[in-house]
């Protein structure tokens, strides 16, 4: 979500996504550094709230809108082993949702079970 205030107007936009992504790991000679590319499909639950305050009368007006849209994700990144069951993952994703697109950079740790 993102919020912004300017001249007595507060606006908030949020996107809650339910989706699935597929990653393809490229074959490499160094097994400790594993690059990947991926794509995905998701349902984006978008909402927007705008509150405008009238500085002269002290009243406020509020407008709310929400809708659901299908979106496509494109991205890639790299995975590197920290130990036999723990990996560091860095990735970048771009989501295309009609006229509401977004870019995300992510980093984290993943753990393998059952190896």
């Amino acid at each position: 979500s993102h919020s912004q205030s300017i001249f007595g107007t507060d606006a908030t936009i949020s996107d809650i996504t339910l989706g699935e992504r597929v990653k393809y790991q490229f074959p490499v000679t160094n097994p400790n550094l594993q690059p990947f590319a991926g794509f995905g499909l998701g349902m984006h639950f978008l909402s927007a709230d705008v509150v405008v305050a009238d500085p002269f009368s002290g009243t406020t007006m509020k407008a709310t809108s929400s809708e659901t849209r299908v979106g496509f994700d494109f991205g890639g990144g790299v995975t590197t082993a920290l130990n036999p069951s723990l990996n560091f993952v860095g990735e970048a994703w771009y989501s295309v949702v009609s006229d509401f697109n977004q870019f995300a950079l992510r980093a984290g740790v993943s753990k393998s079970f059952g190896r």
Side-chain angles (χ1 to χ4, degrees), residues 12 21 23 34 68 77 79 91-92 95 106:
T12 302
R21 290 181 176 159
K23 296 178 182 177
Q34 183 65 61
T68 303
T79 301
E91 57 188 18
S95 297
R106 298 187 179 121

Side-chain angles (χ1 to χ4, degrees), residues 31 33 63 66 81 83 104 115:
L33 194 62
S66 63
N83 66 39
R115 281 188 176 181

Side-chain angles (χ1 to χ4, degrees), residues 42-98:
M43 295 296 293
H44 293 258
F45 303 95
L46 305 170
S47 66
D49 295 316
V50 178
V51 178
V52 179
D54 184 348
F56 302 108
S57 68
T59 60
T60 59
M61 295 179 286
K62 182 176 182 178
T64 301
S65 177
S66 63
E67 59 184 275
T68 303
R69 294 184 184 176
V70 174
F72 299 96
D73 301 332
F74 305 95
V78 65
T79 301
T80 185
L82 299 175
N83 66 39
S85 65
L86 202 61
N87 295 316
F88 172 79
V89 180
E91 57 188 18
W93 289 92
Y94 187 73
S95 297
V96 179
V97 187
S98 121

Side-chain angles (χ1 to χ4, degrees), residues 11-32:
T12 302
I13 298 173
S14 66
D15 176 10
I16 298 174
T17 306
L18 178 63
E20 186 68 30
R21 290 181 176 159
V22 175
K23 296 178 182 177
Y24 172 77
Q25 293 185 329
F26 295 102
V28 293
T29 57
N30 181 358
N32 291 328

